[in-house]
C-alpha cells in the first residue's frame, strides 16, 4: 500500500503542471486546438487517478483552459472532490475552479452544502476564507437558505479576516434568499461599528448596495453613517457613504443641510480625486451648491470632462436651466475625438432640449451625422435625434413639417440599421398628427417616386424599411394626394418586386387603397376611359406580385387582382362603382397603446380557464364543422351592410375622439392669445393649415430642407411675438391684466412658443376601465425587488433563520408563547364548511389503517453525489448537518400498497377524507454544557415496518448526536387535512433503554403537549429529548399522537414508531492513516466480517453510499480496496476494510464493541440488499 | 457591484477573467473579444471610461480600464461603484501584483494565473470590494502562500518516509 502511494507521487512528478501546459500551448501556436485537446485527454486520465494531488493539478489546468473558452463543466464533480480535500493547497484550487465555472444550474452544487458548511466552521481561518470566497461566486438560493445561519455566525468570528468576508457575502445571500435579510440585519448594523476597518468597510459596502435599491428602508441608519463619515479615514468607505447619502437625501430633505459641513470639509481637505469627485457628485444630488460642481466641466483632462458631463446629467434632472446655459460647451463635446465623451454629451442633449432649442440642436446633430465616421456612431446619432424629437409624446416639436423633413433627410443616411425606426416614426406622426397628413403624404409620395435612390444600393438594405411607412401613408391617406395616379404607378413598378416581402405586401394592399381613390376621382369625370385605364394598369402589374415567393404578397395580390378584374367588368357595363370600392377601406385606423391589451380588465365572473362548453370528444362533429364555416361565411360578402356599420362606427368614434381630446393632457391646447381662433374651431378636420405650406416648395429628397424650417420658424416666432405684443398692448389699454409684461423685454419663455400647427397628437387607444398602473414598468425579474423589506419592524418568530442545531431545553417551552401566532393562523380555516368534517367522521369509524412513512427530504443523492460525503475534512470540529427526513402520518381507509409519491397524489385527489401528517425527524444531541454548534453529525437509515398491515416502509432518520446519553428528535407536524387540529399530544412508550424526557412532576406515561395548533396545510416543528442508556443495539419506540379535530371535538389517535438504528449513533469522524494504523495495531478491537453478493455499482459509489448512509469516512483508498473509519457517540471506534472483486464486496470490520459492530454490519448489508 | 474583471494583453489574449455573473464560456469569449475591440482602439490619452459594449451592457454599467505596458485591466461596474474609486482600485491591484511577484510583468500573469486569482480574491469578493489596503492584502496572500509551502513540505517528508525500506505502518487488517 505504501508503495502505491509512493508510486502515485512519483507519477505525479512527470505530470504536466499549469506552467507546462501554458508553455506547451505557447509552443504549439500553429495547432493550438489540437494540442489542447490532447491536454484535455491527459487531464481526463489524471482525474481518474485516486491521488488528490494529481486531481488538483488537473483541475488547476482546467481552470486555465476555462479562461481560454473551453467548457469544463464535465469535470464539475472532480472539482467538488478537490474542494473537499483536507489540504488547503488543493482546497483552494478546487474552490477557485468552482468559482470560475459553477453557476446556478450546475447540479453538483447541491452536493457541496455539507462540505462548505464544514469548511466554514474549520478551525483554520483560511479554509473558511477560501470557502466564503468560492461561495460568493456560486451561491444558489438553496445554498443561501441552508448556509445563511452559518454565515451569520461567522459575522462574529474572532478573526477580522473572516468577519469581513462573512459580512460581504451576506449581500449575496440576501439576494438569493431575501427572507434572511431581516434576521441578519441587526448584526450587519452592528458591524458598521466593528473595531476592524476592513469589516466596517465591508458592512458599509453591503448596506450601500442594499440601500441603493431601496433607500427608504435605510433612512434610519443615517445618523450612524453620519458618524462614520466624520470619523472614518478610509477613502473607500467615505466614497461609499457619500454615495449612499446621495441616494438618501432625495427622501429626507433635512439631511441635505446637515451634510453641507462635513462635505465641504472633505472637499477642502482630501487629496484623493475620487473622493472629491464623489463629494461633488453628492453635493449635486443634494442640490446644495451648483457652483462647486462647475469646476469639473472646464477641466481639460479627459477624465474630468467625462465625469463633468456625467455630473451635469445629474444636475439636469433637477436643475435643467442651469445646464442649458452650457449648451454650447456640450455641443462642443460632440466634436471630441473620444467617443465616450461624445455619447455622454449626446445623452445630456437629450435631456436639455426644449421647444425653443430643439430645432437648433437637431440641426447641429444633423451636421454631425453628415460628418460622422463609422456607422455605429452615426446610428447612435440617428437614434438620439429621433429619441430627442419624439420624447414625451413629441412634447418639444412645434413644427411637424420640420420633423417630417428631418426624417426624410435621415433616409439619405447610408448603411444605417435604423430604417424601421424612421419608418415607425413616420407612421406614428402621420397617424397621430392629423394636420400633418397632407404634408406627410406629399413627402411620402416623393419618397416612393424616388424609391430607386433608397433601394439602389445594396448597403442601404436597412433603409428600405422607410418605404414600408411611405407606402402605407400614401395608401391610407390617399385622399390628400395631389397626383394619386402617379403614385399608384410608382407603387406598381417592377422594381418593387426586389423589396423584402413584408414591404411588398404593404405596397400591394395600399395600391388597392390608392386605386379606390383614383377611381373615385376619375368617375366624377365624364370620360370613363381614364378609370378603365387605371384598372388596366392594375391588371397589368399585379400578376408580378401574384408570382411572389412571399405568401403574404401572393395572397393579397391575387385577392386584389380578382377584385380589380371584377371591377373592370362592371366598368365596362358603365356601372358606378367607386363608392363601393372606397367602402372597402372606410374607417379610421387608430393607434393602440402597446400595453392596451394587457390592461383590458377581466370582467367579473369571467373565468378564462373554464370550458365554455364541455370539451368535444375527439370523434364527434369533425365532418360537420367545415360545412358550418362555409354556411356562415357567405352572407358576409354583402357590401352595403358593411358600409352601414362603418358609418355608424365612424360617427361613434368621432364622438369618442372629441371626448378624448377634451380630457387629453397631451392635446396641445392653443395658447390663449394668437391662436385662439383655432381652438374655437369645432373639430380638427377643419383646422386651416398655416400659410407656411405655401412658402415651402416640396423638395425631392436628397436636398436638405429642414434648415428652411428653422428659418421660417424663427420668422414665425418673431411674428407671433410681434402679434402678441400688439395684443398685449391692447389688453393693457383695456386694463385687463399685466400678466404678459415680461414678454416685452426678456427672451421668450417656453410657454410662449406656439406650435406652428394646431396639432392634435392622438393618444394611443387604451381599453375602457384600464387601470392606471405604473407597475408594468418595473422588471419583475429584478432580484433587488425582493429585498425591499422593512427593516425596522421587530422580528417575528416565523422569520428566524433555519437553525441547524438546537439545545434540548428549547423543547420544553411553554405553549403559551406560540399562542399569538396560532390564534392568528386559526382565523381562516374556521370558515371551512363542516360538511367535510362530518364525512370524515364517518370514514373514521370504518377500519382505519395508520401508516407512518418517512421520506428523505433531499433523497439520497445519485451515486456520484455520495462521493462528496466521502472525503471529510481533517478538522476535529464537525459541523452539524441534518438532512431533514420526513415522516408522514395519515389515515387511510384504502389499501396501503402504494409507492410514496403515488400515495401523495392519490391522497390529494381524495383529500377530503383524509388527514395527513407530516413528521419530520431530526435527532439532536444535547449540547451538554458545550456549544451545540460543535455537535457531530450522524445520519441514519434503515427499514422500518411501522404500519399495522402495510408493507415495509423505508424510514430515513437523520440527526445529530453528541454525548452518549441524550438524543433530540425534532418532529415536523404537517396538517394535510382540511380541518383545524388542536390539543396535540405526543407520547412514546419508554423502554428500559430509552426514555422520553418529560417535564418534572409528570408521570412516566404522560404525553407531551405539542406546543402549537395546526391550521390546515400548516406545518410546525417540535423537539423531544430522549435519554439513551446503551447504543449498541438498534431500538424501536412505539408512540402515539393524539389530537382533536376542531368542530368534531373527538380525540383522534395516530400510532407511529420511532426507529433508532445503530448507525444513527455513529459520527463520521475523519482519521489520519497513521492514527488508523496505530488503532488497528493496538489489538483492542474485535473482528467481524460480512460478504455482499451481487453488488453492481462502481466502487466509489459503494464507498459513497457507506459514507453517506452509515456515517463513515474514508481513510485511504487504493484501487478496489478502501479503509474507513467512524466513531460512535460513546466513543467506540469502528474500522472497515472494504474490498471488491467483481460483484462481491467483502467488508472486514473491527470495533471495540462486537454487538454494535454486528448491528452496524447488518444495517450496511440491508442497505445494499435493497438496491 | 463589479460585474466582471478582465485582464488581456495588447493582442486581446486573455490573461485572467473573472465574471461575477454567469455567462457561458462562448459568451465569455465573445465579451472578451468585444471589450478588447472597444478598448484597444482608444488612445492612451483619452479617458479611462467606456460605456456600452452591448454584451456586458445595460445603461447602468460601464467599463473602467487602465492600460499598463502590454496589459489592459478592465473592470465592468455598475453605478454603485465610484468611477475614480475603481481606477484607484486597479492601481492598488496592480501594485499588489508588483509586490507579490516582484516586478510583475505579463509573463508572471501568463504562468501564474492561479496566483493572480488568489491575489484578486483578497481584493474583490463576489463582485464586491473586500480590501483596499495593500499591506493587508499582501500580508494575507503571503500567509496563505506559506501555508501552501508548509503543506508541500510535509508531503515531501511523508514521501521520504514511505521511500524508506521498512515502513512502520501497515494498513492491512488482520
Amino acid at each position: 500500500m505504501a508503495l502505491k502511494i509512493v508510486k502515485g507521487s512519483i507519477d505525479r512528478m512527470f505530470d504536466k503542471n499549469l506552467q507546462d501546459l501554458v508553455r506547451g500551448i505557447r509552443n504549439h501556436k500553429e495547432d493550438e486546438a489540437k494540442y489542447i485537446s490532447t491536454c484535455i485527454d491527459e487531464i481526463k486520465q489524471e482525474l481518474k487517478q485516486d491521488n488528490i494531488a494529481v486531481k488538483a493539478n488537473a483541475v488547476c489546468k482546467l481552470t486555465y483552459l476555462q479562461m481560454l473558452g473551453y467548457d469544463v463543466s464535465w469535470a464539475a464533480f472532480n472539482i467538488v472532490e478537490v474542494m473537499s480535500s483536507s489540504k488547503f493547497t488543493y482546497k483552494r484550487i478546487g474552490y477557485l475552479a468552482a468559482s470560475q465555472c459553477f453557476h446556478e444550474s450546475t447540479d453538483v452544487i447541491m452536493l457541496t452544502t455539507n462540505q462548505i458548511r464544514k469548511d466554514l466552521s474549520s478551525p483554520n481561518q483560511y479554509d473558511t476564507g477560501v470557502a466564503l470566497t468560492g461561495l460568493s461566486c456560486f451561491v444558489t438560493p438553496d445554498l443561501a437558505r441552508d448556509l445563511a445561519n452559518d454565515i451569520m455566525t461567522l459575522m462574529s468570528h474572532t478573526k477580522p479576516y473572516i468577519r469581513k468576508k462573512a459580512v460581504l457575502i451576506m449581500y449575496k445571500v440576501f439576494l438569493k434568499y431575501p427572507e434572511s435579510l431581516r434576521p441578519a440585519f441587526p448584526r450587519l448594523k452592528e458591524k458598521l461599528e466593528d473595531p476592524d476597518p476592513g469589516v466596517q468597510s465591508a458592512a458599509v459596502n453591503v448596506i450601500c448596495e442594499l440601500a441603493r435599491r431601496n433607500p427608504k428602508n435605510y433612512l434610519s441608519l443615517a445618523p450612524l453613517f453620519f458618524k462614520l463619515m466624520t470619523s472614518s479615514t478610509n477613502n473607500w468607505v467615505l466614497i461609499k457613504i457619500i454615495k449612499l447619502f446621495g441616494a438618501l437625501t432625495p427622501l429626507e430633505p433635512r439631511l441635505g443641510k446637515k451634510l453641507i459641513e462635513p462635505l465641504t470639509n472633505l472637499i477642502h481637505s482630501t487629496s484623493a480625486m475620487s473622493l472629491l469627485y464623489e463629494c461633488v457628485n453628492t453635493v449635486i444630488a443634494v442640490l446644495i451648491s451648483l457652483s462647486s460642481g462647475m469646476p469639473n466641466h472646464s477641466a481639460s483632462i479627459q477624465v474630468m470632462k467625462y465625469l463633468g458631463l456625467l455630473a451635469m446629467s445629474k444636475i439636469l434632472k433637477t436643475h435643467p436651466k442651469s445646464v442649458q446655459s452650457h449648451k454650447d460647451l456640450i455641443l462642443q463635446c460632440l466634436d471630441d475625438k473620444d467617443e465616450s465623451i461624445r455619447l455622454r454629451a449626446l445623452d445630456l442633449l437629450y435631456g436639455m432640449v426644449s421647444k425653443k432649442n430643439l430645432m437648433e440642436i437637431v440641426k447641429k446633430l444633423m451636421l454631425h451625422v453628415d460628418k460622422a465616421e463609422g456607422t455605429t456612431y452615426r446610428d447612435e446619432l440617428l437614434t438620439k435625434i429621433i429619441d430627442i424629437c419624439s420624447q414625451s409624446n413629441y412634447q418639444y416639436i412645434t413644427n411637424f413639417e420640420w420633423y417630417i423633413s428631418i426624417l426624410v433627410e435621415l433616409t439619405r443616411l447610408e448603411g444605417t440599421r435604423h430604417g424601421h425606426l424612421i419608418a415607425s416614426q413616420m407612421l406614428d406622426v402621420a397617424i397621430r398628427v392629423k394636420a400633418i397628413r397632407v404634408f406627410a403624404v406629399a413627402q411620402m409620395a416623393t419618397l416612393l417616386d424616388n424609391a430607386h435612390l433608397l433601394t439602389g444600393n445594396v448597403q442601404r438594405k436597412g433603409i428600405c424599411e422607410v418605404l414600408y411607412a411611405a407606402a402605407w401613408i400614401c395608401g391610407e391617406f390617399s385622399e390628400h394626394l395631389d397626383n394619386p395616379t402617379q403614385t399608384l404607378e410608382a407603387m406598381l413598378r417592377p422594381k418593387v418586386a426586389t423589396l423584402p416581402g413584408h414591404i411588398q405586401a404593404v405596397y400591394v394592399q395600399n395600391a388597392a387603397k390608392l386605386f379606390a381613390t383614383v377611381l373615385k376621382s376619375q368617375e366624377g369625370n365624364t370620360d370613363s376611359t381614364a378609370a378603365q385605364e387605371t384598372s388596366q394598369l392594375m391588371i397589368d402589374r399585379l400578376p408580378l406580385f401574384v408570382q411572389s415567393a412571399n405568401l403574404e404578397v401572393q395572397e393579397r395580390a391575387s385577392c386584389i387582382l380578382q377584385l380589380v378584374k371584377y371591377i373592370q367588368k362592371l366598368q365596362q357595363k358603365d356601372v358606378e362603382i367607386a363608392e363601393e370600392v372606397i367602402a372597402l377601406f372606410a374607417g379610421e385606423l387608430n393607434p393602440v397603446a402597446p400595453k392596451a391589451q394587457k390592461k383590458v380588465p377581466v370582467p367579473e365572473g369571467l373565468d378564462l380557464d373554464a370550458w365554455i362548453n364541455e370539451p368535444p370528444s375527439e370523434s364527434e362533429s369533425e365532418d360537420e364543422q367545415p360545412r358550418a364555416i362555409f354556411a356562415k361565411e357567405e352572407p358576409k360578402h354583402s357590401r352595403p351592410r358593411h358600409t352601414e356599420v362603418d358609418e355608424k362606427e365612424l360617427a361613434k368614434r368621432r364622438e369618442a375622439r372629441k371626448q378624448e381630446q377634451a380630457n387629453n393632457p397631451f392635446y396641445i391646447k392653443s395658447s390663449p392669445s394668437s391662436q385662439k381662433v383655432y381652438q374655437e374651431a369645432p373639430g380638427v378636420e377643419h383646422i386651416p393649415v398655416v400659410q407656411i405650406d405655401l412658402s415651402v416648395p416640396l423638395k425631392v429628397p436628397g436636398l436638405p430642407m429642414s434648415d428652411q424650417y428653422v428659418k421660417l420658424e424663427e420668422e414665425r416666432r418673431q411674428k407671433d411675438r410681434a402679434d402678441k405684443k400688439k395684443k398685449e398692448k391692447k389688453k393693457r389699454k383695456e386694463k385687463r391684466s399685466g400678466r404678459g409684461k415680461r414678454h416685452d423685454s426678456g427672451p421668450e419663455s417656453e410657454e410662449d412658443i406656439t406650435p406652428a400647427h394646431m396639432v392634435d397628437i392622438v393618444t394611443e387607444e387604451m381599453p375602457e376601465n384600464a387601470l392606471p398602473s405604473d407597475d408594468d414598468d418595473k422588471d419583475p425579474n429584478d432580484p433587488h425587488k425582493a429585498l425591499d423589506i422593512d427593516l425596522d419592524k421587530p422580528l417575528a418568530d416565523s422569520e428566524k433563520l433555519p437553525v441547524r442545531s438546537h439545545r434540548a431545553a428549547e423543547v420544553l417551552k411553554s405553549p403559551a408563547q406560540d399562542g399569538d401566532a396560532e390564534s392568528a393562523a386559526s382565523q381562516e380555516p374556521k370558515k371551512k364548511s363542516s360538511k367535510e368534517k362530518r364525512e370524515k367522521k364517518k370514514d373514521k369509524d370504518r377500519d382505519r389503517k395508520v401508516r407512518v412513512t418517512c421520506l428523505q427530504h433531499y433523497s439520497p443523492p445519485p451515486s456520484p453525489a455520495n462521493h462528496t460525503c466521502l472525503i471529510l475534512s481533517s478538522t476535529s470540529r464537525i459541523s452539524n448537518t441534518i438532512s431533514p427526513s420526513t415522516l408522514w402520518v395519515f389515515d387511510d381507509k384504502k389499501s396501503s400498497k402504494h409507492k410514496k409519491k403515488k400515495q401523495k397524489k392519490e391522497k390529494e385527489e381524495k383529500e377530503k377524507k383524509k388527514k395527513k401528517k407530516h413528521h419530520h425527524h431530526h435527532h439532536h444531541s444535547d449540547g451538554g454544557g458545550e456549544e451545540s454548534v460543535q455537535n457531530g453529525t450522524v445520519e441514519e437509515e434503515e427499514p422500518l415496518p411501522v404500519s399495522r398491515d402495510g408493507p415495509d416502509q423505508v424510514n430515513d432518520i437523520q440527526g445529530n448526536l453528541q454525548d452518549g446519553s441524550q438524543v433530540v428528535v425534532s418532529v415536523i407536524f404537517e396538517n394535510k387535512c382540511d380541518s383545524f387540529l388542536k390539543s396535540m399530544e405526543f407520547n412514546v412508550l419508554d423502554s428500559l433503554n430509552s426514555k422520553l424526557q418529560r417535564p418534572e412532576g409528570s408521570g412516566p406515561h404522560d404525553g407531551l403537549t405539542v406546543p402549537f395548533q395546526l391550521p390546515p396545510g400548516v406545518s410546525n416543528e417540535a423537539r423531544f429529548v430522549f435519554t439513551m442508556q446503551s447504543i449498541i443495539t438498534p431500538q424501536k419506540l412505539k408512540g402515539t399522537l393524539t389530537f382533536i379535530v376542531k368542530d368534531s371535538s373527538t380525540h383522534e389517535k395516530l400510532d407511529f414508531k420511532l426507529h433508532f438504528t445503530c448507525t444513527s449513533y455513529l459520527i463520521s469522524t475523519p482519521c489520519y492513516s497513521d492514527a488508523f494504523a496505530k488503532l488497528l495495531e493496538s489489538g483492542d478491537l474485535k473482528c467481524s466480517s460480512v460478504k455482499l453478493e451481487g453488488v453492481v455499482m462502481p466502487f466509489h459509489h459503494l464507498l459513497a453510499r457507506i459514507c453517506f448512509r452509515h456515517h463513515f469516512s474514508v481513510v485511504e483508498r487504493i484501487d478496489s480496496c478502501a479503509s474507513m473509519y467512524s466513531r460512535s457517540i460513546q466513543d467506540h471506534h469502528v474500522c472497515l476494510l472494504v474490498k471488491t472483486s467483481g460483484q462481491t464486496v467483502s467488508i472486514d470490520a473491527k470495533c471495540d464493541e462486537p454487538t454494535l459492530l454486528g448491528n452496524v454490519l447488518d444495517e450496511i448489508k440491508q442497505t445494499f440488499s435493497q438496491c | 457591484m463589479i460585474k466582471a474583471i478582465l485582464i488581456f494583453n495588447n493582442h486581446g489574449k486573455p490573461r485572467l477573467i473573472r465574471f461575477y455573473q454567469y455567462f457561458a464560456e462562448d459568451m465569455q469569449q465573445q465579451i472578451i473579444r468585444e471589450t478588447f475591440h472597444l478598448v484597444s482602439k482608444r488612445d492612451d490619452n483619452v479617458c479611462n471610461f467606456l460605456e456600452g459594449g452591448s454584451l456586458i451592457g445595460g445603461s447602468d454599467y460601464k467599463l473602467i480600464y487602465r492600460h499598463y505596458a502590454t496589459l489592459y485591466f478592465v473592470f465592468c461596474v455598475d453605478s454603485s461603484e465610484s468611477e475614480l474609486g475603481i481606477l484607484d482600485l486597479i492601481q492598488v491591484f496592480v501594485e499588489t501584483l508588483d509586490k507579490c511577484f516582484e516586478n510583475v510583468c505579463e509573463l508572471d500573469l501568463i504562468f501564474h494565473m492561479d496566483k493572480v486569482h488568489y491575489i484578486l480574491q483578497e481584493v474583490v469578493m463576489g463582485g464586491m470590494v473586500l480590501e483596499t489596503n495593500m499591506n493587508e492584502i499582501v500580508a494575507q496572500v503571503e500567509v496563505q502562500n506559506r501555508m501552501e509551502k508548509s503543506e508541500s513540505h510535509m508531503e515531501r517528508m511523508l514521501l521520504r518516509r514511505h521511500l524508506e525500506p521498512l515502513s512502520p505502518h501497515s494498513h492491512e487488517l488482520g
Side-chain angles (χ1 to χ4, degrees), chain A residues 12 19 67 88-90 92 99-100 124 126 161 164 172 205 209 212 278 306 340 1080 1137, chain B residues 1 17-18 22 29 42 49 51 78-80 82 111 122 126 129 131 140 147-148 151 155 173:
Chain A
R12 228 178 71 220
Q19 282 77 29
M67 178 178 78
F88 172 75
T89 316
Y90 306 143
R92 184 155 78 152
S99 69
Q100 287 290 78
N124 180 345
Y126 292 102
Y161 178 73
K164 72 180 176 192
K172 293 277 175 151
N205 226 334
E209 283 292 341
R212 193 166 77 97
E278 290 304 336
Y306 174 86
S340 294
L1080 290 181
L1137 181 73
Chain B
M1 288 269 282
I17 55 171
R18 175 73 274 196
Y22 173 68
Q29 294 301 313
R42 293 170 64 83
F49 312 117
E51 263 161 86
D78 68 10
S79 61
S80 75
S82 157
F111 285 108
E122 297 303 321
V129 178
E131 185 60 70
Q140 297 296 356
M147 277 178 62
E148 199 175 296
E151 277 186 356
E155 196 171 293
L173 297 173

Side-chain angles (χ1 to χ4, degrees), chain A residues 618-838:
Chain A
E618 299 263 310
S619 59
E620 168 183 52
S621 78
E622 230 168 14
D623 44 351
E624 281 172 42
Q625 268 178 346
R627 232 184 292 143
I629 288 169
F630 282 117
K632 265 184 205 163
E633 271 190 344
E634 265 167 82
K636 273 191 185 167
H637 292 297
S638 64
R639 230 172 262 155
R641 212 177 105 200
H642 201 78
T643 350
E644 241 173 50
V645 172
D646 269 344
E647 266 165 7
K648 263 188 214 160
E649 183 71 20
L650 257 179
K652 227 185 347 186
R653 282 186 192 172
R654 214 170 280 141
E655 197 52 44
R657 204 181 324 119
K658 275 181 201 157
Q659 283 268 311
E660 202 174 37
Q661 281 164 3
N663 305 327
N664 184 359
F666 295 116
Y667 181 89
I668 300 178
K669 294 180 181 93
S670 59
S671 57
S673 51
S674 64
Q675 296 195 340
K676 213 164 191 174
V677 205
Y678 300 150
Q679 203 183 22
E680 281 155 7
V684 265
E685 283 93 337
H686 309 290
I687 292 164
V689 177
V690 181
Q691 68 275 22
I692 297 171
D693 266 15
L694 304 170
S695 53
V696 183
L698 297 183
K699 288 274 166 82
V700 178
L703 297 174
M705 44 184 257
S706 55
D707 292 357
Q708 287 165 334
Y709 283 100
V710 180
K711 225 181 281 166
L712 281 170
E713 182 71 13
E714 277 305 303
E715 283 166 18
R716 189 183 65 84
R717 281 187 198 172
Q718 251 160 20
K719 212 177 118 222
D720 273 2
R721 239 175 297 171
D723 283 355
K724 228 179 267 176
K725 262 189 221 168
K726 262 186 234 159
K727 273 199 181 169
E728 269 154 21
K729 267 180 200 162
K730 244 189 243 165
K731 275 182 196 168
R732 247 178 284 160
K733 271 180 200 161
E734 289 162 22
K735 291 181 184 169
R736 282 177 67 181
S737 82
R739 195 178 150 262
K741 259 183 197 169
R742 59 199 157 116
H743 300 304
D744 288 335
S745 50
E748 57 185 344
S749 66
E750 279 287 285
E751 301 76 45
D752 297 328
I753 301 169
T754 50
H757 295 256
M758 183 53 234
V759 177
D760 163 31
I761 303 176
V762 184
T763 41
E764 293 157 326
E765 285 194 339
M766 278 290 198
E768 286 172 46
N769 319 327
L771 302 164
S773 59
D774 46 8
D775 61 332
D776 35 32
D777 295 331
K778 284 184 187 162
D779 179 8
N781 299 325
D782 183 8
H784 303 284
K785 219 171 128 187
L787 288 182
D788 190 1
I789 294 168
D790 183 5
L791 294 161
D792 298 329
K793 243 174 20 192
L795 270 183
D797 278 352
S798 58
E799 281 183 305
K800 296 234 165 81
L801 283 180
V803 179
R804 294 274 158 181
S805 53
H806 305 286
R807 289 179 159 273
E810 283 176 65
V811 181
L812 306 173
K813 263 186 190 163
S814 74
Q817 279 179 317
D818 292 282
D820 290 347
E822 286 152 29
S823 57
S826 64
Q827 299 294 320
E828 212 177 319
K830 278 183 187 162
K831 291 175 198 157
K832 297 251 171 184
S833 75
S834 55
K835 209 175 177 184
E836 296 163 5
K837 278 154 216 159
R838 251 173 268 138

Side-chain angles (χ1 to χ4, degrees), chain A residues 1033-1063:
Chain A
T1033 48
Q1035 288 152 49
K1036 282 176 207 159
L1037 294 183
K1038 275 187 189 165
T1040 47
L1041 182 78
T1042 53
F1043 53 88
I1044 296 176
V1045 179
K1046 220 168 197 174
D1047 303 330
S1048 74
S1049 69
T1050 47
H1051 275 274
E1052 304 219 15
K1053 198 174 113 189
L1054 283 177
D1055 293 333
F1056 60 88
K1057 281 184 186 176
L1058 286 176
H1059 198 141
F1060 299 90
T1061 54
C1062 280
T1063 41

Side-chain angles (χ1 to χ4, degrees), chain A residues 1-2 6 9 12 18-19 22-23 26 60 64 66-71 87-90 92-93 96 99-100 103 124 126 133 136-137 161 164-165 168-169 171-172 205 209 212 236 239-240 243 273-274 277-278 302-303 306-307 310 337-338 340 344 1073-1074 1077 1080-1081 1116 1137 1148, chain B residues 1 13-18 20 22 25 28-29 42 45-51 60 62 78-86 88 107 110-114 117-118 121-122 125-126 128-132 136 140 143-145 147-148 151 155 159 161-163 168-171 173-174:
Chain A
M1 187 186 255
V6 174
S9 303
R12 228 178 71 220
L18 176 61
Q19 282 77 29
V22 176
R23 209 166 287 130
R26 286 161 72 82
C60 184
Y64 183 80
Q66 195 270 344
M67 178 178 78
L68 299 184
Y70 290 85
D71 176 28
K87 285 218 170 91
F88 172 75
T89 316
Y90 306 143
R92 184 155 78 152
I93 291 172
L96 174 63
S99 69
Q100 287 290 78
H103 51 95
N124 180 345
Y126 292 102
T133 308
S136 71
C137 294
Y161 178 73
K164 72 180 176 192
K165 288 197 170 195
L168 218 49
I169 203 180
Y171 179 64
K172 293 277 175 151
N205 226 334
E209 283 292 341
R212 193 166 77 97
W236 187 263
I239 287 176
K240 284 277 171 191
K243 262 182 157 318
M273 188 62 92
S274 48
Y277 165 66
E278 290 304 336
Q302 296 281 323
V303 168
Y306 174 86
L307 295 177
L310 202 63
K337 64 181 166 152
D338 187 343
S340 294
R344 264 274 149 244
S1073 47
D1074 330 16
L1080 290 181
E1081 285 161 5
E1116 210 159 12
L1137 181 73
D1148 295 316
Chain B
M1 288 269 282
K13 287 245 180 219
R15 292 307 176 212
L16 175 133
I17 55 171
R18 175 73 274 196
Y20 296 105
Y22 173 68
E25 274 76 10
Q28 292 184 354
Q29 294 301 313
R42 293 170 64 83
N45 58 356
V46 301
C47 76
N48 303 50
F49 312 117
L50 193 58
E51 263 161 86
D60 203 28
K62 52 173 73 86
D78 68 10
S79 61
S80 75
E81 301 295 343
S82 157
E83 291 88 350
L84 291 176
I86 294 289
D88 288 349
L107 280 178
I110 294 173
F111 285 108
H112 302 284
M113 181 205 69
D114 48 344
H117 265 297
Y118 299 143
Q121 281 178 357
E122 297 303 321
M125 184 177 128
M128 286 188 288
V129 178
L130 179 67
E131 185 60 70
T132 51
E136 171 74 13
Q140 297 296 356
V143 175
Q144 293 180 53
N145 287 345
M147 277 178 62
E148 199 175 296
E151 277 186 356
E155 196 171 293
L159 187 63
R161 211 173 58 186
H162 282 303
L163 283 170
H169 303 297
S170 159
H171 301 299
L173 297 173

